[in-house]
Amino acid sequence: MTVERAIHFATFVLILVGLCSISAWASYTYLSANLILEVAGIALSWGVILLILYLGFKKLNWDWWS
């Protein structure tokens, strides 16, 4: 059970870091003219990514966070 939670946590962190890096790069590349839009784009995309990951884990009944 502990190993399974570690695997789920590592999967979550790696997916989160990868997707957040891609969104930060895209926001920086395409919105670099306006700092406010760049920061807002990164925050919005991270929020969407976290929501999608949470719903995905919940749908798969992975309760490693409890």
Side-chain angles (χ1 to χ4, degrees):
M1 186 70 149
T2 304
V3 174
E4 185 179 1
R5 284 186 180 187
I7 290 170
H8 290 169
F9 179 74
T11 301
F12 177 77
V13 168
L14 290 173
I15 290 172
L16 183 65
V17 168
L19 292 175
C20 289
S21 298
I22 289 171
S23 69
W25 171 80
S27 293
Y28 178 75
T29 301
Y30 297 111
L31 299 174
S32 61
N34 192 341
L35 181 63
I36 302 271
L37 284 177
E38 184 179 331
V39 172
I42 291 170
L44 179 63
S45 61
W46 287 7
V48 170
I49 289 167
L50 283 173
L51 179 63
I52 290 170
L53 288 175
Y54 172 75
L55 292 174
F57 278 124
K58 186 171 179 140
K59 185 173 179 129
L60 293 172
N61 293 325
W62 289 354
D63 293 332
W64 58 268
W65 53 80
S66 61

